[in-house]
Amino acid sequence: MAEKIRERLEGKELKLFCIFSIVLLLTAGMIGSRWEDLGKWSIIRGLWTIVVSRDALITDYFELAGYGASFINSMFVMAIGFVLLCIKRVKFTGLTMAAFFINMGYALWGKNPLNILPILLGTLLYARLHRVQLSSCIYTALFGTCLAPLVTELIFILPFGKVVNMLFAVAVGLMIGYFLPVFSIHTATMHKGYNLFNVGFSAGVIAFVLVCVLKAVGLESGSVLIWRAESPLWIVLGLFGYFGLTFLYGLFLNRGDLKGLLNICRHSGKASADFVLLEGVGTTLMNMGLVGIVCSVYICFIGGDFSGPVVGAILAAFGFAAFGAHIKNYLPVLAGVFLSTLLNQFQPTTPSMQLAAIFVVGLAPIAGKFGVIPGIIAGLLHSAIVTCTTEMYGGLNLYNNGFSAGWVAILMVPGLEGRKKREKNI
């Protein structure tokens, strides 16, 4: 019986898992709406609030619009990416999981179905004009929606009428989507694949330039802090249950074999370490479940908040456990962020430090390639840099941690590679 089920699932395992996740978001939205008891129209009102509000870092949709609307918004954002990849018949791999779940996560604090569309259409325009397959740059488009708050912000700060502001914002979004595919290729060479959030780095550069242009003409945007400092039991248990089911699903597909997890841990994680292609779907799903559990345990351990940004960050790390991150290379950089809170002015529960601890997963390849100590140092550096970079672009690059991780990799990797070469020559 089990073997027949596996045969029917073959080639569709990840697609069905994504459908299950979308349905689960719908369920969470319904539960969240009833939990808050805000009335039967609370989800619609909440979705409208999300669409018409600023999205600069940090805007927690749990606090802004309620749990129900936040999860439904996440469902819509993930569904857009899912439909897009299905239409283009793109093969579901580890990179697909990374793209889906970072969007799913950030739809709890910055992305919505309207502000991501101009960027996606910009990349579609790039593919059409350059006569390349959209499938070759679709992931850049999905990751590039990290600049969606910039699209929203222009509607608020431009001095023209609402219609003109909206048209201008859409034009800028199209431009961002058009240039990101080429620009992100160049930024990847700067950190040599040791920052898993490469588009976060390239998007940070673009956001910085655009914000400087806006400031030059007297238009400024500032970061905000809207944060729900709560940890509802149903969300905590829901996350642990979801990650546990993911692990069990992978274990079922792997016929109960756990050895694949050891094989994953042998990879440094340096991009492009697509675990689905390297080790198979079952092993990858087990790894995703484990990383998700570790992230959730850490937040519980420090007494942190399961706010929209934190839940979103955990889901992003969960996705990148299919594309470079695993327990062995993540724990050292996580330890580095935690140790930094014993040395600097921040507490582990400070919102920026909670997010840094989860998103430092982007630097996991440094620990995977060069060892535990460099990994800890990378985490220490990341926690320092990430607190300064948000102001550079007014909180309009959602992947602020990806931008910071890029600088850490650029600073550390040349020296670490040089040391490794010297050791080989000795």
Side-chain angles (χ1 to χ4, degrees):
M1 180 64 178
E3 200 59 41
K4 286 184 179 180
I5 294 174
R6 292 190 192 95
E7 288 178 7
R8 290 184 178 181
L9 287 173
E10 191 171 353
K12 305 173 186 175
E13 302 96 336
L14 292 178
K15 188 175 291 188
L16 290 173
F17 180 72
C18 288
I19 292 172
F20 168 73
S21 299
I22 291 171
V23 173
L24 199 61
L25 285 171
L26 175 62
T27 305
M30 296 297 107
I31 293 173
S33 179
R34 288 183 174 276
W35 177 273
E36 294 176 300
D37 195 25
L38 298 177
K40 62 180 181 179
W41 301 110
S42 64
I43 290 178
I44 294 175
R45 285 197 300 268
L47 288 172
W48 177 252
T49 300
I50 287 171
V51 168
V52 300
S53 300
R54 293 182 65 221
D55 303 300
L57 292 175
I58 299 172
T59 303
D60 184 346
Y61 287 168
F62 284 176
E63 180 67 18
L64 181 72
Y67 293 115
S70 299
F71 283 117
I72 297 300
N73 180 67
S74 182
M75 178 197 73
F76 282 133
V77 169
M78 188 175 181
I80 288 172
F82 180 82
V83 170
L84 194 57
L85 263 66
C86 288
I87 289 173
K88 292 299 175 180
R89 297 180 181 179
V90 178
K91 183 180 178 181
F92 280 51
T93 65
L95 184 57
T96 313
M97 296 296 100
F100 274 168
F101 286 98
I102 199 170
N103 276 338
M104 176 180 174
Y106 272 100
L108 299 177
W109 60 304
K111 298 182 183 182
N112 64 64
L114 291 184
N115 66 8
I116 67 173
L117 282 179
I119 297 172
L120 293 175
L121 291 174
T123 304
L124 178 63
L125 181 64
Y126 170 86
R128 182 66 60 87
L129 293 179
H130 289 267
R131 297 181 180 179
V132 298
Q133 291 293 324
L134 180 60
S135 58
S136 66
C137 52
I138 187 62
Y139 290 116
T140 303
L142 290 173
F143 289 124
T145 54
C146 60
L147 290 178
L150 180 56
V151 176
T152 305
E153 192 72 8
L154 289 173
I155 299 174
F156 284 92
I157 67 174
L158 289 175
F160 316 112
K162 285 186 178 180
V163 175
V164 176
N165 286 3
M166 196 173 299
L167 291 174
F168 196 94
V170 169
V172 171
L174 290 170
M175 181 189 71
I176 290 169
Y178 185 86
F179 285 109
L180 262 178
V182 175
F183 189 57
S184 61
I185 293 173
H186 288 282
T187 55
T189 62
M190 296 174 68
H191 54 74
K192 299 184 177 181
Y194 287 97
N195 173 22
L196 295 178
F197 303 138
N198 174 54
V199 175
F201 182 71
S202 54
V205 175
I206 292 174
F208 174 66
V209 172
L210 290 175
V211 167
C212 287
V213 171
L214 290 173
K215 284 186 177 181
V217 296
L219 302 173
E220 291 197 35
S221 169
S223 57
V224 296
L225 180 57
I226 300 174
W227 183 277
R228 176 165 282 193
E230 294 180 2
S231 297
L233 186 61
W234 70 275
I235 288 182
V236 178
L237 294 179
L239 284 173
F240 277 108
Y242 178 56
F243 298 144
L245 286 174
T246 302
F247 182 88
L248 292 175
Y249 179 41
L251 188 64
F252 170 75
L253 295 175
N254 251 24
R255 296 174 174 81
D257 187 4
L258 294 169
K259 293 179 182 177
L261 288 172
L262 297 176
N263 293 333
I264 276 186
C265 289
R266 294 191 181 102
H267 294 285
S268 68
K270 180 182 174 184
S272 300
D274 192 315
F275 293 149
V276 171
L277 301 179
L278 292 170
E279 301 296 340
V281 175
T283 300
T284 301
L285 287 167
M286 287 191 290
N287 186 59
M288 290 171 67
L290 284 178
V291 170
I293 289 170
V294 167
C295 292
S296 302
V297 167
Y298 176 80
I299 297 301
C300 290
F301 169 72
I302 64 171
D305 309 308
F306 282 82
S307 60
V310 169
V311 173
I314 292 172
L315 290 171
F318 171 74
F320 271 90
F323 193 75
H326 50 71
I327 302 301
K328 186 179 177 183
N329 65 7
Y330 175 43
L331 286 178
V333 292
L334 173 62
V337 173
F338 178 74
L339 288 174
S340 75
T341 62
L342 306 178
L343 304 172
N344 61 27
Q345 61 180 317
F346 301 106
Q347 299 297 317
T349 53
T350 302
S352 60
M353 288 298 102
Q354 291 187 57
L355 296 176
I358 305 302
F359 280 124
V360 77
V361 72
L363 288 169
I366 290 181
K369 181 69 174 180
F370 302 109
V372 173
I373 300 303
I376 291 174
I377 294 172
L380 287 165
L381 278 175
H382 179 73
S383 65
I385 293 173
V386 77
T387 58
C388 300
T389 50
T390 305
E391 297 302 324
M392 289 176 61
Y393 32 70
L396 298 180
N397 172 26
L398 288 175
Y399 300 169
N400 180 49
N401 277 270
F403 182 67
S404 305
W407 286 114
V408 174
I410 289 169
L411 285 168
M412 291 187 64
V413 169
L416 291 170
E417 286 188 336
R419 188 194 70 176
K420 212 167 185 65
K421 287 179 181 178
R422 288 193 298 271
E423 289 175 351
K424 285 183 178 179
N425 294 330
I426 294 174

